[in-house]
Amino acid sequence: MRRSHPLIAALVGSILLILIPFSLTAQTPQTGAEVPRAIRRDVPMTNAIRRAHEAGTRDLTGRPGPNYWQLQADYTINVRLDPATQTLTGTETVVVHNNSPQALNDIYLRLDHNIFRARAPLAAPWTPAENTDGIVVTSLSVGGEAVDLAPAAGRGRGRGGAPAGPRRSSVSGLTTTVARIVLSTPVAAKGRATLEIGWRTKLPGGPGSGHRMTQRLEDSLFQPTQWYPRIAKYDDLRGWDTSPYLGPSEFYNNFGRFDVRIDVPGGWIVSGTGVLQNPQQVLTARARERLAKVLDSDDVITIVGDDEVGPGQATAPGDRLVWHFAADLVNDFAWATARKYTWKATRATVPGKGPIPIHMVHLPERANLFTNAGPVTRHAIEFYSKLWAPYPFPQLTLQDGPSAGMEYPMVINSNQSAADHEAAHQWWPMMVGTNETWYGWMDEGFDQYMNILSGADARGTAPVLNGLGQQYGQTSGNEAEPPMMWNANFGGPMYSFQTYRKTPLMLSMLGGIVGDENVQRAISEYAKVWAFKHPSPWDYMFFMNNALKQDLNWFWHAWLFTTDAVHGRIERVTTAGTRTTVIVRQDGQMPSPVILRVRFADTGPAITPMPNAKVEGNSALVTWPVDVWFDGRRAFEAVLDFGGRTITSIQLDPACRFPDRDASDNNWPSGPAACTG
Ligand SMILES: [Zn+2]
């Protein structure tokens, strides 16, 4: 090779340096693991949340903003059950309190039973047990003005040059799950509107697929849910919630008062949301005496026994009886009735509040599914009351029937098997009114996390949260997984992972950063601040940041808006003098703090502590904050200096809290290691 002048060589070299990488990048795209990592440290603000912040209804504190408002809808419902036709016929008066600063030009109604109509859109695999006519609205008026349910085409438009008459209210979409009433007179800001609605709906029976798709057993047991015309949610984020009801995703409702009269055959027991207002008229003296003893002990008391059947025995005498329930502040009303229900009751003791009744109604032949239901539900109410906030309602009822595994205010359609999970829903979405249609993780996901804690408490053991966060590394990268912030209403193959299973993994990682007790304390404060209100996911994220006194937006972004994982590993360990250098790599897009469990030889120089280490006997837990990754590096030099005591092993992420596809490369010397914390 011929030597050239050094200046020319340098010049040629720098030209090559410019040219070669350029031509390489043009021809060979690099993978994410090879380029500096871009870590997003804020959360995406959509137009909806941006508008709310501008309006002062929500803000970066994560608490309701100074201008926060929500609609209230108060219902008075009279409903009659005809077992022969399996039909409910009802009339209702709804007072809509428009607490928003805008006039309402329209009102949307939720008609969920239209999901039972033939060819109604459904998110697979939800299938109604039976196709019906859906919920048939037979009359409708707003503010005393009757709304034409079947307007003739063109009427009221001043056809033929005739002057148009006064504008009339109109309704559309009555055969879908979301109907729209266009009002002739808007509901003024801070004003109210009264709707009168007549309707009927047949309850579907038989073997459906998916929750709420079957609501009766022949003509002897009825479990109506989402059964009456409801006012859709109107909020500061998106205005009217016009999401169709497709099956899997549940609801997003207004809070309000319910006053409900349920007319059923004599002898049929009725249970439901709220408190029974007329026990003198519908119960026997014997049942009332037994009920009076429920709060005295943890015993399970029979209110109506297997052998007490029919009018005068199971209930007060009479051909038909009207059961009157009232609930002060709830976001829905569900009930059940059967020709022969056995009714048992016990109590739960709510801290700071005292005992409340737990009611259980079940078919006599299914008593074995309820033997533990009382104690399990009592434990749930008492445990979750201490964990988050005292149980806010005056009772809780378990209802037996074909539509099992579903929750409503003060009502769970469940036997003992799902009692803990369904009882947990009384905190979300019954108390904290999240938008379950879009963001199922904000209640199903929290619920799953709570069940881990409650289950451990019931067994008298510590909850196992180690390992959960790491598990997500197995799922990350699956193209079928939607990020948790994606609207969950349309279901999909990973609906249950998105809404149920991922949240405990996320909260496991959060606990690995700030401590599980701090996570739980912060969520408890969040629950109290948002009780009977409607937090958005952003409110949750910002509230947690403030409660935990850390900017965790990098964490929320990665977990809620992406499907990324950490994929950490120990690349190399070298020792020189007293210093041991550990090269830690993260190949995924999600960053995490660097946490190392360092174990020492039994003897040697004294272990001198490092400022970022907790020394416990012959081992130390050493932590570097997530910030070490914010400059985009993928390899971090963790320098250990404990004064020269020989290090025998090092484990990265010893509590297994950070999503990692392959944890076997987290140890030095290499090999498997248990999640020890
Ligand atoms: Zn659930």
Side-chain angles (χ1 to χ4, degrees):
M1 178 177 155
R2 190 176 154 243
R3 287 187 65 180
S4 59
H5 191 277
L7 186 66
I8 294 171
L11 210 65
V12 171
S14 60
I15 291 168
L16 282 176
L17 273 178
I18 296 164
L19 289 179
I20 290 170
F22 181 78
S23 63
L24 272 180
T25 49
Q27 289 165 17
T28 316
Q30 294 182 317
T31 64
E34 290 153 354
V35 295
R37 178 165 56 168
I39 295 171
R40 187 160 172 175
R41 293 167 59 193
D42 63 344
V43 292
M45 298 288 282
T46 64
N47 292 341
I49 190 67
R50 210 187 297 277
R51 274 196 302 269
H53 280 211
E54 278 163 15
T57 52
R58 296 161 201 268
D59 56 41
L60 291 171
T61 65
R63 293 167 178 266
N67 300 328
Y68 179 82
W69 54 265
Q70 63 192 33
L71 245 58
Q72 181 172 332
D74 296 333
Y75 293 80
T76 305
I77 306 177
N78 290 286
V79 58
R80 178 188 163 94
L81 168 69
D82 178 10
T85 60
Q86 301 104 41
T87 297
L88 301 179
T89 307
T91 56
E92 69 189 60
T93 304
V94 196
V95 180
V96 180
H97 303 261
N98 177 17
N99 298 323
S100 85
Q102 304 100 25
L104 299 177
N105 295 312
D106 45 19
I107 291 177
Y108 281 81
L109 290 181
R110 292 216 155 270
L111 303 173
D112 284 4
H113 271 212
N114 281 335
I115 201 172
F116 303 130
R117 290 173 63 89
R119 301 199 305 184
L122 289 157
W126 262 246
T127 312
E130 180 184 359
N131 281 132
T132 69
D133 294 338
I135 186 158
V136 180
V137 173
T138 51
S139 65
L140 173 64
S141 74
V142 183
E145 178 204 338
V147 179
D148 194 347
L149 297 177
R155 192 196 300 172
R157 290 186 196 155
R159 277 182 304 165
R167 198 176 150 217
R168 301 284 311 266
S169 296
S170 62
V171 64
S172 58
L174 284 172
T175 57
T176 72
T177 55
V178 189
R180 178 186 182 203
I181 308 168
V182 177
L183 301 170
S184 60
T185 312
V187 187
K190 313 294 174 196
R192 61 170 75 173
T194 301
L195 282 74
E196 304 275 356
I197 311 172
W199 53 269
R200 68 168 183 273
T201 188
K202 184 182 180 196
L203 298 173
S209 168
H211 291 134
R212 305 170 297 280
M213 293 294 104
T214 185
Q215 303 204 349
R216 66 182 169 85
L217 281 179
E218 306 294 339
D219 58 358
S220 62
L221 185 155
F222 295 85
Q223 240 178 330
T225 56
Q226 302 173 211
W227 50 279
Y228 58 94
R230 293 179 294 184
I231 304 299
K233 189 83 189 74
Y234 182 84
D235 71 16
D236 57 316
L237 293 164
R238 304 187 180 97
W240 288 107
D241 171 29
T242 58
S243 312
Y245 173 51
L246 299 171
S249 290
E250 290 158 13
F251 54 69
Y252 181 36
N253 284 339
N254 302 288
F255 286 103
R257 184 181 155 77
F258 280 74
D259 196 281
V260 180
R261 287 178 173 78
I262 301 168
D263 180 344
V264 297
W268 289 53
I269 300 285
V270 182
S271 59
T273 301
V275 173
L276 181 64
Q277 302 294 298
N278 60 341
Q280 303 282 345
Q281 279 138 39
V282 295
L283 303 184
T284 63
R286 193 169 48 207
R288 295 199 304 272
E289 276 163 32
R290 292 166 176 172
L291 272 176
K293 297 193 179 74
V294 168
L295 299 185
D296 295 346
S297 79
D298 283 353
D299 295 346
V300 176
I301 293 176
T302 299
I303 309 300
V304 177
D306 292 356
D307 52 347
E308 294 167 289
V309 184
Q313 289 293 314
T315 66
D319 242 18
R320 306 266 322 175
L321 293 171
V322 177
W323 297 59
H324 179 198
F325 292 86
D328 283 335
L329 190 59
V330 288
N331 53 13
D332 204 353
F333 188 104
W335 55 285
T337 188
R339 181 177 291 139
K340 177 54 210 152
Y341 257 153
T342 296
W343 180 0
K344 292 181 183 142
T346 185
R347 72 171 183 185
T349 304
V350 180
K353 190 167 159 180
I356 58 151
I358 298 168
H359 299 288
M360 294 166 278
V361 289
H362 63 79
L363 294 170
E365 63 271 26
R366 283 152 60 102
N368 63 322
L369 298 175
F370 284 81
T371 43
N372 284 325
V376 168
T377 308
R378 170 165 46 246
H379 177 268
I381 291 176
E382 295 177 355
F383 179 78
Y384 297 136
S385 288
K386 283 179 242 160
L387 183 66
W388 305 137
Y391 180 76
F393 302 115
Q395 60 101 353
L396 182 63
T397 300
L398 285 75
Q399 302 182 153
D400 190 13
S403 180
M406 188 55 203
E407 66 282 0
Y408 294 92
M410 300 182 227
V411 160
I412 60 179
N413 285 338
S414 174
N415 55 47
Q416 60 210 16
S417 64
D420 184 64
H421 176 90
E422 307 308 345
H425 276 301
Q426 298 302 317
W427 281 264
W428 2 76
M430 306 316 161
M431 182 178 89
V432 179
T434 50
N435 182 346
E436 198 180 1
T437 315
W438 283 52
Y439 309 115
W441 63 269
M442 292 183 79
D443 51 75
E444 296 298 357
F446 290 166
D447 199 317
Q448 296 289 111
Y449 177 73
M450 295 161 71
N451 303 157
I452 295 167
L453 306 182
S454 172
D457 185 76
R459 291 188 298 273
T461 60
V464 180
L465 295 165
N466 282 352
L468 293 183
Q470 187 178 80
Q471 274 176 24
Y472 177 61
Q474 305 289 329
T475 304
S476 171
N478 185 332
E479 291 169 357
E481 186 201 342
M484 283 152 88
M485 287 296 287
W486 264 222
N487 183 344
N489 195 32
F490 301 96
M494 292 185 72
Y495 171 80
S496 84
F497 186 81
Q498 180 191 8
T499 55
Y500 287 75
R501 284 164 42 213
K502 192 172 177 182
T503 304
L505 313 186
M506 174 177 82
L507 295 177
S508 164
M509 172 152 171
L510 187 56
I513 300 167
V514 302
D516 295 320
E517 324 69 46
N518 291 324
V519 172
Q520 288 153 27
R521 181 184 45 75
I523 297 179
S524 159
E525 289 170 23
Y526 160 80
K528 288 174 184 132
V529 162
W530 285 98
F532 299 102
K533 294 189 174 71
H534 304 281
S536 74
W538 291 270
D539 299 316
Y540 173 70
M541 296 177 232
F542 299 147
F543 188 94
M544 294 295 280
N545 287 351
N546 288 304
L548 294 167
K549 301 186 174 61
Q550 279 194 39
D551 182 351
L552 291 159
N553 284 347
W554 63 270
F555 176 91
W556 305 122
H557 172 255
W559 276 95
L560 297 175
F561 292 88
T562 82
T563 57
D564 293 336
V566 176
H567 301 315
R569 63 187 157 101
I570 291 179
E571 192 171 61
R572 195 167 63 244
V573 177
T574 51
T575 298
T578 62
R579 288 156 63 96
T580 295
T581 302
V582 186
I583 308 292
V584 174
R585 271 193 76 88
Q586 293 188 346
D587 290 328
Q589 283 303 108
M590 178 193 283
S592 77
V594 174
I595 303 181
L596 298 177
R597 168 66 70 187
V598 180
R599 292 195 171 78
F600 301 100
D602 290 346
T603 55
I607 298 169
T608 53
M610 290 172 62
N612 58 334
K614 218 164 65 185
V615 177
E616 297 149 341
N618 265 2
S619 85
L621 192 68
V622 201
T623 303
W624 287 265
V626 68
D627 309 48
V628 302
W629 305 106
F630 287 168
D631 63 2
R633 73 177 79 183
R634 288 193 169 273
F636 171 67
E637 285 188 18
V639 177
L640 305 173
D641 190 344
F642 287 94
R645 175 80 67 98
T646 303
I647 292 172
T648 56
S649 73
I650 301 169
Q651 186 180 5
L652 174 66
D653 183 22
C656 309
R657 300 282 186 134
F658 306 150
D660 194 353
R661 189 186 301 120
D662 177 8
S664 71
D665 54 16
N666 289 2
N667 305 303
W668 177 88
S670 64
C675 303
T676 52

